Amino acid sequence: WTHQEPPQASKGVYRLAPGAAAPVRVAADFNQPNGITGTPDGKTLYVAEIGAKKVWRFDIRKDGMLGDRSLVCEAPSDGMTIDREGRLYLTNGDGVVVVAPDGRILEKIAVPEKWTANVCFGGPDRRTLFITASTGFYSVRLRTAGANPAK
């Protein structure tokens, strides 16, 4: 990065509409938004606010703007993804935390590193969870597939 000041006036979530020339801020007033994922039906957006250690849920309106936000859970997260059953997978320190749709933390997938950064589903049947960490790359075979189909 070569900039001395942040390129945006506030830390937020931005949307670039099809055919638009510039992004529009759809959510503001975050400490440090980072991980983001949405449901395949396009109705819900999840945003991890790593600095505040919170994950938020937004309804996506028909015009592409976001409705009110609600707290999903209190957990730091760098990256995130979602499975077909609506569970979130949050990179969280030395592993991945699995969160139920109602915000309950279900389990933690341990990773032998000090930091996990990103996570996604892949493989031919999208049942492999790939995890990037400080110095390594890991995969875990799961019984469920990722929610968002490969493009």
Side-chain angles (χ1 to χ4, degrees):
W1 294 331
T2 57
H3 61 270
Q4 298 298 314
E5 296 293 323
Q8 298 91 14
S10 69
K11 295 179 180 178
V13 176
Y14 294 80
R15 174 181 185 258
L16 183 61
V24 173
R25 188 173 55 232
V26 294
D29 301 324
F30 285 98
N31 175 284
Q32 186 179 347
N34 203 17
I36 191 167
T37 193
T39 56
D41 63 8
K43 294 181 179 180
T44 306
L45 182 73
Y46 294 94
V47 177
E49 187 175 11
I50 192 169
K53 300 179 181 176
K54 295 181 180 187
V55 177
W56 301 98
R57 175 187 297 116
F58 293 86
D59 291 329
I60 302 172
R61 299 188 321 218
K62 290 185 181 190
D63 65 359
M65 301 303 283
L66 299 180
D68 293 333
R69 68 177 162 184
S70 60
L71 183 65
V72 175
C73 66
E74 294 196 27
S77 183
D78 192 354
M80 71 166 74
T81 192
I82 188 169
D83 71 18
R84 286 186 183 162
E85 296 176 24
R87 290 181 293 249
L88 294 171
Y89 295 74
L90 314 174
T91 57
N92 182 283
D94 60 351
V96 175
V97 174
V98 183
V99 178
D102 66 6
R104 287 177 298 118
I105 295 178
L106 299 173
E107 64 183 275
K108 183 170 184 176
I109 301 168
V111 174
E113 301 242 6
K114 63 181 180 178
W115 187 252
T116 52
N118 288 298
V119 63
C120 71
F121 282 93
D125 60 1
R126 304 208 13 90
R127 289 180 44 210
T128 303
L129 186 70
F130 292 102
I131 306 162
T132 61
S134 301
T135 62
F137 179 71
Y138 301 85
S139 65
V140 178
R141 186 84 173 137
L142 300 176
R143 70 173 191 271
T144 191
N148 296 312
K151 301 268 179 182

